[in-house]
Amino acid sequence: MSLLGLIGKKRRGLRLTDGDIGAFIKGVTAGALPDYQIAALLMAICFAGLDSDETLSLTLHMAHSGKTLDLSSLPGVKADKHSTGGVGDKTTLIVAPLAAACGLTVAKLSGRGLGHTGGTVDKLESVPGLQTALTTSQFLAVVQKTGVCVAAQSADLAPADRVLYELRDVTGTVESIPLIAASVMSKKLAAGADCILLDVKCGDGAFMKTPADAQTLADTMVSIGRGAGRSCRAIVSPMDTPLGHAVGNALEVTEAVEVLRGRGPADLIECCLELTEGLLALARERSGAAYPSARAKLADGSALRKLSEMLSAQGGDVSVLTRGFPPAPFIREVLSDKSGELARADAEAVGVAAGLLGAGRSRKGDPVDVSAGVLLRKKPGDAVTAGEPLYELHTSAEAALPAAEALLREHILIH
Ligand code: URA
């Protein structure tokens, strides 16, 4: 059937067959279809939806549209985690080495920041010398050596997703649960892990604004993962306020290292322990093996040693973990002008402010300022006294400070 035929079929609310979807993805990957027809089908999907068979079929064709990683040469249970995007979400920097310290094999591909949300690859690249653009054999060699590697996703993995995502971004077709689920899971399936733990963020700073939508996305992704023969589960975690205190690349690495040293903010620690325990439960179900508790491995310092081994194996200068990162040239401490309780620190606004300070990029390929970002000194629920520091703005661009401060004055509220 022609693409025009598929658009009509979906517009009338009919099911697409596996053959229809396979032909569509083949055409998308080959660059053989006009953008306006692809976008029309995506829009029809946004309105008419996809059932679970269609969603699985779309995901599998997207996952096989390019290279897939074969992790079978690696020992043990291969584990991966994915977060649907948040502000201050540095969980991968903690969960990946922690899960490896507990005995899992963690082979993870990550992305760069998108919009107001940060990306793990940008955070990792704050470490001087660290390489994230690894070939498959370099990636596998790091995992063989240390049990864990976090590298950048290469362009030849699920290339159909890249084409579709770029079109969705400019045609108002991002917000469709089956399309988001297929997009995320196609990359996870192509990356080859046995066990996939999904962290679906929910709240003002996330794609999913309501608990009901977040749960539907979580259920859809888990059903795809299981349908593809992987062990998969999801947690839904809040994203109304940033996770932890630090937002911005080097600031977040510093905070992650604090957690691995047994300190750091309680919300971040608990989220990381829940994610790691979730991965260990999946691995236990799959292999029947016993694993130590994540809390014990966090407490005994072995997760910090794992992070250090992984960063060194990827060429990073790990002395920065003890020495600290060079501070941003301009740091402004903003004080509270009244006493009360911090009622709100809006995640999206903090993410946008960090972006204005240089932590994010407005166009693909732009450089990021590794030292830039926002450090919250108070979190919702904390008591505040007039004159106390509320947050710090870090940047290399002094001119960016007033706009970032004005935005946060509007969105960090004391009652
Ligand atoms: N992240 C993805 O990878 N894909 C989406 O569609 C949305 C978020």
Side-chain angles (χ1 to χ4, degrees), residues 42-407:
L42 293 170
M43 188 58 89
I45 291 172
C46 282
F47 282 106
L50 294 176
D51 71 17
S52 55
D53 288 343
E54 289 172 297
T55 308
L56 178 59
S57 164
L58 176 64
T59 312
L60 292 175
H61 285 293
M62 286 165 69
H64 289 100
S65 62
K67 189 178 87 176
T68 55
L69 276 184
D70 176 3
L71 305 180
S72 60
S73 61
L74 299 171
V77 176
K78 273 69 84 179
D80 193 358
K81 75 161 271 279
H82 180 81
S83 153
T84 57
V87 178
D89 182 353
K90 66 283 289 175
T91 54
T92 293
L93 302 174
I94 300 161
V95 173
L98 181 54
C102 292
L104 301 186
T105 300
V106 184
K108 174 158 175 51
L109 299 175
S110 284
R112 294 190 182 276
L114 190 69
H116 68 277
T117 66
T120 302
V121 167
D122 292 326
K123 295 170 201 184
L124 280 171
E125 285 178 356
S126 312
V127 176
L130 186 114
Q131 297 301 312
T132 58
L134 304 182
T135 63
T136 301
S137 56
Q138 288 170 327
F139 177 68
L140 295 177
V142 174
V143 188
Q144 280 283 4
K145 184 168 175 201
T146 68
V148 53
C149 183
V150 181
Q153 191 174 295
S154 61
D156 49 6
L157 199 95
D161 176 60
R162 209 182 47 261
V163 177
L164 293 180
Y165 194 88
E166 281 176 13
L167 264 181
R168 287 168 59 213
D169 206 22
V170 292
T171 57
T173 52
V174 170
E175 274 91 14
S176 147
I177 287 179
L179 292 180
I180 295 175
S183 167
V184 169
M185 291 305 289
S186 63
K187 292 172 282 203
K188 292 289 107 185
L189 297 181
D194 310 313
C195 295
I196 303 167
L197 200 280
L198 300 158
D199 180 10
V200 179
K201 297 290 182 196
C202 172
D204 292 344
F207 270 115
M208 297 294 119
K209 307 291 182 207
T210 67
D213 279 349
Q215 195 56 55
T216 306
L217 178 61
D219 294 344
T220 307
M221 293 197 292
V222 168
S223 133
I224 293 170
R226 292 183 181 160
R230 312 295 172 90
S231 300
C232 192
R233 62 161 76 174
I235 66 165
V236 173
S237 64
M239 189 38 72
D240 290 308
T241 205
L243 190 57
H245 290 91
V247 178
N249 300 300
L251 292 172
E252 292 193 40
V253 176
T254 303
E255 186 167 72
V257 170
E258 280 293 290
V259 169
L260 292 170
R261 290 209 166 101
R263 303 191 285 259
D267 62 340
L268 177 59
I269 297 170
E270 290 313 314
C271 183
C272 290
L273 287 174
E274 187 181 359
L275 288 167
T276 313
E277 286 297 350
L279 272 175
L280 294 172
L282 286 174
R284 242 177 253 124
E285 279 161 27
R286 194 158 184 113
S287 70
Y291 298 96
S293 92
R295 205 175 280 278
K297 287 289 160 188
L298 187 61
D300 73 9
S302 38
L304 179 59
R305 286 193 290 280
K306 266 288 163 228
L307 178 71
S308 185
E309 282 171 31
M310 178 190 96
L311 298 177
S312 293
Q314 292 183 231
D317 172 6
V318 290
S319 68
V320 81
L321 303 187
T322 36
R323 238 184 324 111
F325 289 92
F330 303 98
I331 299 177
R332 178 179 292 180
E333 196 176 57
V334 177
L335 309 180
S336 178
D337 47 18
K338 61 178 180 182
S339 299
E341 181 183 304
L342 194 97
R344 188 163 169 72
D346 181 274
E348 183 166 359
V350 177
V352 172
L356 291 174
L357 295 168
R361 49 175 75 73
S362 49
R363 271 174 320 182
K364 211 172 138 189
D366 281 353
V368 294
D369 172 1
V370 297
S371 68
V374 177
L375 197 58
L376 298 174
R377 302 278 291 273
K378 298 283 180 186
K379 293 266 288 186
D382 287 352
V384 180
T385 308
E388 262 193 299
L390 273 185
Y391 52 89
E392 293 169 17
L393 305 174
H394 293 231
T395 188
S396 303
E398 191 176 16
L401 289 168
E405 183 176 341
L407 181 67

